[in-house]
Amino acid sequence: AEASSGLQPGSGEAGGETEADAALAAVRSFWREEVLQVSSGVDETGGLVGPLCGWYALVWAVVCLGACDGASSIGALNKLLMPMPFAVLAAFFARAVTLPGAGAGIRTLFSPDFAAIRSPSIWVAAVSQLFFGVSAGLGTLTTYASFSPPSTPVGRSAIIVSLSNSAFSLFAGVTVFGFLGFISHTTGAAAPPSA
């Protein structure tokens, strides 16, 4: 993850800490000490992390309330919750494209290294992402099919799901690379690799 963000330790001055190193250290420190509250070792168990427990409890409450009335309540809850990731990503997108340096990051996304196409690992990563994106083999498509009428054209549905997945992935990619361009701009780190 570090390599793809352009925040690589020691990527600047030889032997000295760069601004990118300091930013990465701050992120790691915040994650370990504030969010996770990691203990000093296995002999010290620490305690429950209040905010994380609260968010987990909220998620489980929503799940239990959604399932309390059977499939009808799950359907109603999905109508409310399914658009939320799209709305959140749209808000992130709006912020990402307005940041300084975002254009450079987005240009990096659309300037691929065509020599990397010969690498089998690139193809494995691409196919893995595609299978993950459409949730192939996880029961999602079976569930979708079970709620569809028998007369639903399967081919058309498959094309719609595949194209929607690709469009959403591209939208997310532009958002992420907008933020990476901003990070690169503010830290002076090299632009993120596109492959």
Side-chain angles (χ1 to χ4, degrees):
E2 294 165 14
S4 65
S5 69
L7 297 176
Q8 301 173 9
S11 60
E13 305 152 12
E17 185 177 274
T18 65
E19 204 173 316
D21 291 331
L24 187 58
V27 168
R28 285 183 176 156
S29 173
F30 174 78
W31 180 250
R32 290 181 57 81
E33 295 169 18
E34 300 293 325
V35 177
L36 297 177
Q37 298 179 12
V38 176
S39 67
S40 61
V42 292
D43 54 336
E44 181 190 338
T45 58
L48 295 176
V49 179
L52 291 181
C53 290
W55 286 111
Y56 282 130
L58 177 66
V59 167
W60 277 108
V62 168
V63 168
C64 290
L65 288 173
C68 69
D69 215 15
S72 63
S73 63
I74 292 172
L77 195 59
N78 276 339
K79 287 179 184 173
L80 170 71
L81 296 178
M82 283 305 294
M84 285 182 69
F86 300 103
V88 169
L89 184 63
F92 284 157
F93 173 81
R95 179 66 178 136
V97 298
T98 60
L99 293 170
I106 294 168
R107 278 191 299 277
T108 302
L109 173 65
F110 293 109
S111 303
D113 178 10
F114 289 105
I117 291 177
R118 291 186 222 119
S119 171
S121 64
I122 294 293
W123 287 97
V124 169
V127 170
S128 299
Q129 175 59 39
L130 182 64
F131 272 75
F132 176 77
V134 295
S135 302
L138 299 177
T140 308
L141 300 177
T142 306
T143 304
Y144 170 72
S146 70
F147 282 98
S148 298
S151 61
T152 300
V154 176
R156 187 181 69 173
S157 295
I159 290 170
I160 290 171
V161 167
S162 298
L163 291 177
S164 299
N165 175 62
S166 296
F168 191 76
S169 295
L170 185 61
F171 186 52
V174 169
T175 303
V176 168
F177 272 78
F179 281 116
L180 291 177
F182 170 70
I183 291 170
S184 177
H185 175 78
T186 56
T187 62
S194 60

